[in-house]
């Protein structure tokens, strides 16, 4: 309880430290944003100051413009006045118009410059005003965004501070609770200390009692037990274990359930492979209409062999179930039929490896079909990966099942402690197989739904897809039942591995296991003979009297002669009956041969009748054709006789030669077509064989690598075995030394007890003398 509370407190402290770190980070972010907002405000102030300076310049420029406008007006008035004066003074002299023209040109130039300067100032003022407005809008939007971010950060900061305060309050409350619990635990610890002291006292008394019992048992063993065969594992393997009827009944029940599940599994596999073969012959090219590809043809041939690889699984499980009876000892060393089941599973796994490349190429060929859409191609690729995963899981499952069958064939396999992990790996592989079959059924359902929408989808293809889908669903259900069944009984499998000693690390030799079963049969027969009641025996005196009568009296001889004669008569009768039945058997053989001949004659007559009817029909048709030809030839001959006088033998000979050569050409063309088709077939087979050869080479290389790794693992396991043997021998030596030391201590205690007894006796004698 204290450990759980301490763990909770540590978790809360870790969360509090994380929240404090986050709070510091958020504080830094808020301070950075505040600094950014202060900098932006300073920039805004600078911009406002520059804007005010520009406004002041603008005002000064407008004032200067107004002054210049007034001056221009004055100059215009002066110009008008001077013009008027000039008109008046024209009459006086000539130099005045020259001065007025010069002044006018000066004034015009000055006015033009002032106008240009005014336009330039107006343009600068407009540009500065536009820039100021844009900068002001940008700064305003930036300021609003920064104010929003600051408000958000402030809200987050307030929420975090509130959360931190709540966490602090919770931690304080939990701290108070933990303090109360610690006080209660301290009280309990004091009570436990008192109890431990009492238990130590009880342990001392028990130790003394057990030492006394050990001495008694050792004396009994040394006196009564001359030979102990349980120390040696080889000799202990020959001892017959106690017969556990419940264990055998449960094992048989489990094997029966496994047999029913395997039957469903085999049925689903047969349906799946058979319907897959039917689909290959239908889609994408129907074999009834056109010639399918050589790949699909070879794939369908291999799928046709599925029953020879799938049905032995059911037979192997049936043999295993029949080998488990109530009288045997069912463990891994004695279940020899598990080896045959693993071999059948290996053959099926090799069958899957053989059809896998053809299945993948068939799916790729469907993807290359012209009507295959992108979604259908994606479904085919998903099925492509599913089939690879399915074969890989079957390989893994076959490896672990073959490891399970090792103890029944050889004792130099894995250690017994490793088989619990093997059982867990088998359970995991079965669950993985269930997941893959579920994915396969889902993807195939989607594929079937897409193929129904194709314009070339026939009713045969739809029914085949439905059958394959139902078989895949049945396969998934069967695998799910097997996986749940195995995981439910996993503890029982790991608990009852071997019949050897519990401390042993190795399995017993299968030969010794077989000898143990023979010893068990002999023991059962011995117990049965002991249970049989003794037959009623003749008293000794009566037997002696009967023997004397048999030896001396003639009546007994006559009786024996009569018995011999009766037995001879019986033998003669039996020989007569034997001859009678031999004759009967010969007659029945003759009848059987006649009946078989009659049946064969009837079948031949029916076949000959059918042939005769066919020949008659052919003859009739030939006669009709001949009559028609004769009529035609007669007509032709009459016409030719009427028309010309040429001979008809040459024409008929030419027709015969023409017909002969035409029939010969037809035969040669058919033979040529057959030869072409055979050459194409042989070429496809050669290509398939070349592919198989490459695949076999790759498999050979992978197997060589696996053999290398297996040899390395075997050498490693041998090293581990030697080390474990050494450690076991060291432990045995240590245990023997410990027993010797215990014997020495016991002998010392005995000496001390004897000395104490002598001292007590001496003290009692002294007390008596006193």
């Amino acid at each position: 309880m204290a450990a759980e509370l301490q763990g909770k407190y540590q978790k809360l402290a870790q969360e509090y430290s994380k929240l404090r770190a986050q709070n510091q980070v958020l504080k830094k972010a808020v301070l950075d944003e505040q600094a950014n907002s202060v900098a932006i405000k300073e920039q805004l102030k600078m911009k406002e100051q520059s804007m005010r300076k520009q406004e002041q310049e603008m005002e000064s420029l407008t004032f200067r413009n107004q002054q210049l406008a007034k001056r221009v007006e004055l100059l215009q008035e002066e110009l008008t006045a001077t013009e008027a004066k000039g008109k008046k003074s024209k009459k006086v002299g000539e130099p005045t118009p020259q001065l007025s023209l010069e002044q006018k040109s000066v004034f015009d130039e000055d006015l033009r410059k002032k106008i240009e300067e005014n336009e330039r100032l107006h343009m600068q003022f407009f540009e500065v005003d536009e820039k100021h407005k844009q900068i002001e809008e940008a700064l305003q939007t930036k300021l609003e965004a920064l104010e929003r971010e600051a408000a958000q950060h402030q809200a987050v900061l307030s929420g975090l501070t509130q959360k931190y305060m709540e966490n602090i309050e919770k931690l304080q409350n939990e701290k108070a609770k933990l303090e109360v619990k610690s006080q209660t635990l301290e009280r309990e610890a004091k009570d436990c200390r008192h109890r431990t002291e009492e238990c130590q006292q009880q342990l001392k008394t028990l130790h003394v009692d057990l030492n006394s019992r050990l001495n008694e048992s050792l004396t009994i063993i040394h006196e009564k037990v001359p030979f102990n065969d349980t120390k040696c594992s080889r000799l202990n393997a020959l001892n017959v274990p106690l017969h556990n009827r419940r264990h055998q009944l449960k094992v048989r029940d489990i094997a029966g359930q496994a047999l029913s599940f395997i039957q469903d599994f085999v049925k689903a596999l047969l349906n799946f492979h058979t319907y897959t073969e039917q689909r290959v012959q239908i889609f994408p090219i129907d074999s009834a209409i056109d010639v399918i590809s050589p790949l699909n043809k070879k794939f369908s041939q291999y799928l046709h062999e599925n029953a020879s690889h799938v049905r032995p699984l059911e037979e192997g499980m049936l043999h295993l179930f029949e080998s488990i009876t109530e009288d045997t000892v069912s463990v891994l060393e004695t279940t020899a039929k598990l080896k045959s089941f693993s071999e059948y599973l290996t053959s099926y796994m090799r069958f899957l490896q053989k059809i896998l490349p053809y299945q993948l190429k068939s799916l790729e060929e469907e993807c290359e079909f012209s009507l295959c859409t992108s979604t259908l191609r994606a479904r085919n690729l998903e099925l492509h990966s599913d089939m690879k995963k399915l074969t890989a899981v079957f390989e893994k499952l076959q490896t672990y099942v073959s490891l399970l069958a090792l103890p029944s064939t050889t004792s130099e396999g894995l250690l017994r402690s490793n088989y619990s992990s093997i059982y867990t790996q088998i359970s995991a592989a079965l669950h993985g197989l269930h997941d893959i079959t579920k994915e396969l059924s889902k993807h195939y359902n989607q594929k079937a739904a897409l193929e129904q929408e194709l314009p070339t989808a026939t009713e045969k293809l739809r029914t085949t897809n439905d059958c394959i889908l139902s078989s895949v669903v049945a396969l998934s259900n069967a695998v799910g039942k097997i996986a749940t069944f195995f995981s439910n009984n996993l503890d029982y499998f790991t608990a009852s591995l071997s019949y050897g000693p519990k401390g042993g690390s190795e399995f017993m030799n299968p030969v010794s296991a077989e000898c143990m079963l023979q010893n068990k049969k002999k023991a059962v027969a011995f117990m049965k003979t002991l249970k049989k009641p003794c037959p009623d025996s003749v008293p000794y005196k009566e037997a002696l009297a009967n023997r004397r009568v048999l030896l001396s009296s003639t009546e007994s001889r006559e009786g024996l002669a009569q018995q011999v004669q009766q037995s001879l008569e019986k033998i003669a009768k039996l020989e007569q009956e034997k001859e009678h039945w031999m004759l009967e058997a010969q007659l029945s053989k003759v009848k059987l041969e006649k009946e078989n001949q009659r049946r064969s004659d009837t079948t031949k007559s029916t076949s000959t009748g059918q042939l005769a009817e066919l020949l008659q029909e052919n003859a009739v048709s030939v006669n009709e054709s001949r009559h028609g030809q004769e009529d035609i030839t007669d007509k032709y001959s009459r016409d030719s006789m009427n028309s010309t006088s040429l001979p008809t033998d040459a024409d008929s000979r030419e027709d015969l030669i023409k017909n002969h050569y035409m029939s010969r050409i037809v035969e040669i063309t058919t033979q040529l077509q057959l030869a072409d088709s055979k050459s194409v077939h042989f070429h496809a087979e050669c290509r398939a064989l070349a592919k198989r050869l490459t695949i076999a080479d790759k498999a050979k290389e992978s197997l060589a690598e696996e053999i290398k790794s297996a040899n390395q693992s075997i050498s490693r396991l041998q090293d581990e075995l030697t080390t474990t043997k050494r450690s076991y021998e060291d432990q045995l030596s240590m245990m023997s030394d410990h027993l010797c030391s215990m014997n020495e201590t016991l002998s010392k205690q005995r000496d001390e007890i004897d000395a104490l007894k002598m001292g007590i006796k001496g003290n009692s004698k002294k007390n008596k003398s006193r």
Side-chain angles (χ1 to χ4, degrees):
M1 193 70 183
E4 291 178 358
L5 292 170
Q6 191 173 3
K8 287 183 180 178
Y9 185 73
Q10 288 177 357
K11 287 180 182 178
L12 291 169
Q14 289 176 0
E15 290 180 359
Y16 180 69
S17 62
K18 288 179 183 178
L19 292 171
R20 280 189 72 183
Q22 291 177 1
N23 191 7
Q24 290 177 0
V25 172
L26 289 170
K27 280 182 179 180
K28 287 181 181 178
V30 170
L31 291 172
D32 293 335
E33 292 296 331
Q34 286 177 356
N36 289 327
S37 64
V38 169
I40 289 165
K41 285 179 181 178
E42 289 179 356
Q43 289 179 4
L44 185 64
K45 286 179 182 179
M46 294 290 289
K47 295 292 182 182
E48 286 178 353
Q49 288 177 3
S50 63
M51 187 175 68
R52 286 171 186 170
K53 286 180 182 179
Q54 288 174 0
E55 286 178 353
Q56 289 175 1
E57 289 178 358
M58 189 70 189
E59 288 176 355
S60 63
L61 287 171
T62 51
F63 180 72
R64 180 68 176 165
N65 195 8
Q66 288 175 0
Q67 285 181 352
L68 289 171
K70 288 178 182 179
R71 189 176 177 185
V72 167
E73 288 177 356
L74 291 171
L75 288 171
Q76 284 180 355
E77 289 176 356
E78 288 177 359
L79 181 62
T80 54
T82 52
E83 284 178 355
K85 287 178 181 180
K87 287 179 181 179
K88 290 179 180 180
S89 62
K90 276 182 182 180
K91 297 177 180 181
V92 179
E94 292 180 354
T96 54
Q98 291 178 357
L99 290 171
S100 64
L101 288 171
E102 289 177 357
Q103 289 177 357
K104 189 176 180 180
S105 63
V106 170
F107 288 148
D108 289 335
E109 187 70 22
D110 192 8
L111 182 63
R112 187 176 60 77
K113 288 180 180 180
K114 296 293 182 182
I115 290 166
E116 288 177 355
E117 186 178 0
N118 194 6
E119 286 179 356
R120 185 173 55 79
L121 289 171
H122 273 290
M123 288 174 69
Q124 287 180 356
F125 177 74
F126 182 73
E127 288 176 358
V128 168
D129 193 9
E130 288 293 327
K131 286 181 181 179
H132 176 263
K133 286 180 181 178
Q134 290 176 0
I135 293 166
E136 187 177 1
E137 288 176 356
L139 290 172
Q140 192 69 28
T141 54
K142 195 171 183 181
L143 181 63
E144 289 176 357
L146 290 170
E147 285 177 353
R148 282 195 220 97
E149 289 180 358
Q152 289 176 0
H153 287 301
Q154 192 67 30
V156 171
L157 184 63
S158 61
L160 288 171
T161 52
Q162 188 177 0
K163 191 175 180 181
Y164 295 152
M165 292 300 290
E166 290 176 356
N167 288 325
I168 289 164
E169 289 178 358
K170 286 181 182 178
L171 290 169
Q172 287 177 354
N173 294 326
E174 288 181 357
K175 185 180 178 182
K177 290 179 182 178
L178 290 170
E179 287 177 354
V180 173
K181 287 182 180 178
S182 64
Q183 292 175 0
T184 56
L185 289 170
E186 286 177 357
R187 293 172 189 168
E188 289 178 358
K190 289 179 181 178
D191 296 333
C192 289
R193 285 170 190 166
H194 292 299
R195 289 176 186 174
T196 50
E197 290 176 357
E198 293 176 356
C199 290
Q200 284 177 357
Q201 292 176 0
Q202 291 178 2
L203 184 63
K204 287 178 181 178
T205 56
L206 289 171
H207 186 66
V208 173
D209 190 11
L210 288 172
N211 281 327
S212 63
R213 289 184 183 180
L214 178 63
N215 292 326
E216 291 176 0
S217 61
L218 286 172
T219 54
I220 290 166
I221 287 165
H222 287 303
E223 291 175 358
K224 302 292 183 182
V225 181
F227 176 69
N228 187 11
D229 58 353
T230 58
K231 290 182 179 179
C232 183
S233 61
R234 293 180 180 177
L235 298 174
N236 191 26
L238 299 174
N239 289 328
V240 178
L242 295 173
H243 182 66
N244 193 350
R245 187 169 178 274
R246 287 183 181 176
H247 172 74
Q248 286 302 118
L249 290 174
K250 187 169 183 180
V251 171
R252 188 168 174 80
D253 184 21
I254 288 169
Q257 293 178 14
L259 177 61
S260 63
F261 293 144
I262 290 293
Q263 286 173 352
D264 296 338
F265 177 68
V266 167
K267 186 178 178 181
L269 278 178
L270 286 170
N271 291 332
F272 176 65
H273 291 309
T274 306
Y275 291 131
T276 305
E277 178 189 359
Q278 186 176 350
R279 175 188 162 78
V280 167
Q281 293 179 357
I282 291 171
F283 189 79
I285 298 169
D286 194 351
S287 61
I289 299 169
D290 199 354
V291 179
I292 62 174
S293 64
L295 176 73
N296 284 334
K297 190 174 182 181
K298 201 72 177 176
F299 184 36
S300 65
Q301 287 178 2
Y302 285 146
L303 285 173
H304 194 67
E305 301 171 359
N306 62 56
S308 61
H309 298 282
V310 178
R311 288 203 181 278
L313 292 173
E314 183 179 354
E315 293 176 1
M317 197 67 204
L318 181 61
H319 293 320
L320 180 62
F321 172 70
E322 289 173 352
S323 66
I324 297 169
T325 59
E326 189 179 345
D327 298 331
T328 58
V329 178
S330 297
V331 287
L332 287 178
E333 292 101 331
T334 58
T335 53
K337 297 295 181 182
L338 190 61
K339 179 67 177 176
S340 60
F341 179 74
S342 69
E343 289 174 356
Y344 294 147
L345 187 60
T346 304
S347 69
Y348 178 67
M349 185 268 293
R350 288 172 182 167
F351 171 70
L352 285 180
Q353 288 178 347
K354 184 171 73 172
I355 66 170
L356 179 63
Y358 293 97
Q359 200 159 17
L360 300 180
K361 290 289 184 182
S362 179
L363 288 170
E364 291 173 2
E365 188 175 338
E366 287 185 12
C367 292
E368 293 173 0
F369 189 49
S370 60
L371 295 175
C372 185
T373 59
S374 60
T375 53
L376 187 58
R377 191 175 290 109
R379 298 291 85 78
N380 286 330
L381 292 174
E382 288 173 352
L383 288 173
H384 193 279
S385 63
D386 290 339
M387 296 311 296
K388 285 183 180 178
K389 292 177 183 176
L390 186 69
T391 308
V393 171
F394 266 107
E395 290 176 2
K396 185 179 178 183
L397 190 63
Q398 182 270 332
T399 303
Y400 289 118
V401 172
S402 62
L403 287 175
L404 276 184
L406 274 178
S408 63
T409 56
T410 178
S411 61
E412 297 177 355
L414 294 174
L415 295 175
R416 194 160 60 180
S417 58
N418 294 330
Y419 274 77
S420 59
S421 62
I422 288 171
Y423 277 120
T424 54
Q425 290 294 331
I426 289 172
S427 179
L430 288 171
H431 283 289
L433 183 62
H434 183 218
D435 295 335
I436 289 166
T437 50
K438 285 197 291 186
E439 290 291 325
L440 185 65
S441 64
K442 183 178 78 174
H443 295 154
Y444 207 92
N445 190 7
Q446 295 172 357
K447 174 183 168 68
L450 291 171
E451 285 180 352
Q452 284 182 359
E453 297 175 359
L454 293 175
T456 58
T458 60
E459 190 65 28
K460 193 188 294 183
L461 177 63
R462 289 169 184 163
T463 53
T464 307
N465 283 336
D466 293 336
C467 293
I468 292 173
L469 189 60
S470 63
S471 65
V472 171
V473 171
L475 181 63
S476 177
N477 293 329
V479 172
K481 288 178 183 178
I482 293 169
T484 53
F485 160 74
F486 198 88
S487 59
N488 290 333
N489 295 306
L490 188 61
D491 296 332
Y492 181 74
F493 291 149
T494 54
S496 58
L497 283 172
S498 176
Y499 73 94
K502 292 184 180 178
S505 62
E506 295 180 356
F507 285 102
M508 295 298 173
N509 198 351
V511 178
S512 61
E514 188 176 356
C515 293
M516 182 273 297
L517 292 176
Q518 291 177 1
N519 292 336
K520 187 176 186 300
K521 290 178 182 178
K522 290 177 182 179
V524 170
F526 178 69
M527 295 299 290
K528 285 181 180 179
T529 54
L530 288 176
K531 287 180 180 179
K532 282 182 181 180
C534 295
D536 296 333
S537 61
V538 180
Y540 184 66
K541 292 179 180 180
E542 189 176 353
L544 284 175
N546 290 331
R547 185 172 180 275
R548 287 171 187 172
V549 170
L550 287 170
L551 290 172
S552 61
S553 65
T554 57
E555 293 178 357
S556 62
R557 290 178 183 177
E558 290 176 359
L560 288 171
Q562 288 178 0
Q563 287 178 4
V564 169
Q565 190 175 1
Q566 288 176 0
S567 62
L568 289 171
E569 290 176 357
K570 284 181 181 179
I571 288 166
K573 286 181 181 179
L574 289 171
E575 285 179 354
Q576 289 176 2
E577 288 180 356
K578 181 183 177 182
E579 289 176 358
H580 172 70
W581 288 115
M582 288 290 287
L583 292 170
E584 289 287 337
Q586 288 178 0
L587 289 171
S588 60
K589 280 183 181 179
V590 170
K591 287 180 181 179
L592 181 63
E593 288 176 356
K594 287 182 179 179
E595 185 67 26
N596 289 327
Q597 189 173 2
R598 187 177 62 79
R599 286 184 180 179
S600 62
D601 292 336
T602 53
T603 53
K604 284 180 181 179
S605 64
T606 54
S607 61
T608 52
Q610 290 175 358
L611 287 168
E613 289 176 0
L614 290 169
L615 289 169
Q616 286 177 2
E617 290 176 359
N618 290 325
V620 169
S621 60
V622 169
N623 289 324
E624 288 176 357
S625 63
R626 283 180 180 175
H627 286 302
Q629 287 178 1
E630 286 174 0
D631 294 336
I632 292 165
T633 52
D634 291 333
K635 289 178 181 178
Y636 183 73
S637 63
R638 288 170 187 170
D639 293 334
S640 62
M641 287 292 288
N642 292 323
S643 60
T644 59
S645 62
L646 292 172
T648 58
D649 294 333
D651 295 333
S652 62
R653 194 180 296 114
E654 286 178 0
D655 292 333
L656 288 171
I657 291 165
K658 188 188 289 184
N659 293 327
H660 173 70
Y661 279 113
M662 287 298 288
S663 62
R664 185 64 180 163
I665 288 164
V666 170
E667 288 177 0
I668 289 166
T669 51
T670 52
Q671 288 177 2
L672 183 62
Q673 288 175 359
L674 287 170
D676 290 335
S677 63
K678 286 180 180 179
S679 63
V680 170
H681 177 67
F682 290 148
H683 179 66
E685 283 189 351
C686 290
R687 287 180 66 188
L689 287 170
K691 289 180 181 178
R692 284 180 65 188
L693 184 61
T694 54
I695 292 164
D697 291 333
K698 290 179 182 178
K700 185 179 178 182
E701 291 175 358
S702 63
L703 287 170
E705 292 176 356
E706 287 177 2
I707 287 164
K708 287 181 182 178
S709 63
N711 289 325
Q712 291 175 0
S713 63
I714 286 164
S715 61
R716 181 172 55 79
L717 289 170
Q718 286 176 354
D719 295 332
E720 289 178 359
L721 182 63
T722 53
T723 53
T724 51
K725 281 183 179 179
R726 288 174 184 172
S727 64
Y728 185 67
E729 290 173 356
D730 295 331
Q731 287 177 2
L732 284 173
S733 62
M734 288 172 68
M735 287 173 71
S736 62
D737 295 332
H738 184 63
L739 286 171
C740 293
S741 63
M742 284 178 71
N743 289 323
E744 289 176 358
T745 53
L746 286 171
S747 62
K748 287 179 182 179
Q749 287 177 2
R750 284 175 184 171
D751 295 332
E752 288 175 359
I753 290 164
D754 293 331
L756 288 170
K757 284 180 180 179
M758 294 294 290
I760 290 163
K761 286 179 181 178
N763 290 325
S764 63
K765 287 179 181 178
K766 287 178 182 179
N767 290 325
K768 285 179 182 179
S769 63
R770 286 178 185 174

